[in-house]
Every structure is written in C-alpha cells, then in structure tokens.
Amino acid sequence: QVPPGLLRPALLDFYRATAALHEHCLDEAIPAFERMLDAEPRHAEGLSRLGEALTRAGELDRAERIYARLCDVTPDDPVAWRNLGTVRSYQGETATALTAWSQSADVDTREVRSLVFAGQLLREQGEPTQAADWVRRALRRDPQDPGARELARLLGLPPE
C-alpha cells in the first residue's frame, strides 16, 4: 500500500529513470530508480530496470541483491531468475548462477535461454559433458532455438 501523495512522484521517478537508462545515463537512472523503489519497494519493473542499470554500471553486488529481491517479489518470472543467474555468472559464482538458471527453466517450460547460458558457461569452464546436458535440455524444449543449436554444434553434439 502506497501512502497518498507518493504514487505520482514515484511514477515520475520511474519514467525519468527509464529514460535515463535508455540514454545510458546511469548516474541519473540509478538514484531515480532507488527513489521510486523507496516509495514502491515491490515494483517489479522498477527492480528489474534498477538491476539492469547496476549491471551496466558494473555494480554487480548491488545488482545481485536487487535481482534476488525481484525473484522474491516475482518468483514465477523466468526472466528475473535468468538475470539473477547472469549477474552471478559475472561474479564468478558458477554454482549459484546454475541454480538461478535452473529455477528460471523450472518456472517456465518454454524458457530456453537460461539453459543455453548455463551450457555456454560450462563450456567456457571446460565442462563439455555438463554443458551438453544443459544444451540437450534446451533442444528438447525448442529444437529450432539458434543459440542451443549453435552451442550443440560447438560441443560436437549430433543433431536431434
């Protein structure tokens, strides 16, 4: 419940922050999203965009906390989990990235990108067998996904 009088300034901050984010003015976008979230702490789109801005700014620890908060607010959103996994992978946290990507795939049976991201990370880390498992999962969901098909090719997997 937003106290009377706070909704309008919060929405103005949201729109200003969104415009600043699109213009790559992160020093304006981040504080505006934070002000908006002070008034509406469960605003999913605001959390998502703040996470994006923080990631772009290289503030990965803060971005990870925001995406984790977003996953608490919208636990059935595969994109929230995918973004959390991506930030964790940037932080070098492979195990927790894989957990988040797995959760993304679990909440939406159409989610393929998270599976491909996991396979790519594992391939880069010299784990081709594990990478192939993730890619096969992706291809079972969408045999035509270009990212999954390319990763399967790079891993030397036979066409399914």
Side-chain angles (χ1 to χ4, degrees), residues 100-121:
W101 286 328
S102 182
Q103 183 66 25
S104 174
D106 288 348
V107 299
D108 186 347
T109 58
R110 297 165 299 169
E111 175 64 22
V112 174
R113 189 178 295 175
S114 294
L115 301 171
V116 174
F117 287 177
Q120 182 62 38
L121 178 62

Side-chain angles (χ1 to χ4, degrees), residues 12 16 18-19 36 49 54 58 61 67 69 75 91 101 111 131 137 144:
L12 288 174
R16 286 182 183 134
T18 299
M36 188 275 295
R49 291 184 186 182
L54 291 167
D61 291 340
Y67 282 130
R69 188 168 137 198
Q91 293 173 307
W101 286 328
E111 175 64 22
R137 254 179 95 189
Q144 300 306 313

Side-chain angles (χ1 to χ4, degrees), residues 3 21 28 34 41 43 46 48 72 80 82 89 94 98 111 118 127 148 158:
L21 177 63
E28 294 174 29
E34 290 172 333
H43 191 280
S48 180
D72 287 339
R82 182 190 322 137
S89 75
T94 300
L98 294 174
E111 175 64 22
E127 299 288 347

Side-chain angles (χ1 to χ4, degrees), residues 47-83:
L47 288 166
S48 180
R49 291 184 186 182
L50 176 57
E52 178 184 349
L54 291 167
T55 301
R56 286 188 192 180
E59 295 187 40
L60 299 180
D61 291 340
R62 289 179 64 202
E64 190 272 340
R65 287 191 300 275
I66 292 298
Y67 282 130
R69 188 168 137 198
L70 177 59
C71 289
D72 287 339
V73 170
T74 59
D76 293 330
D77 180 0
V79 176
W81 289 104
R82 182 190 322 137
N83 290 340

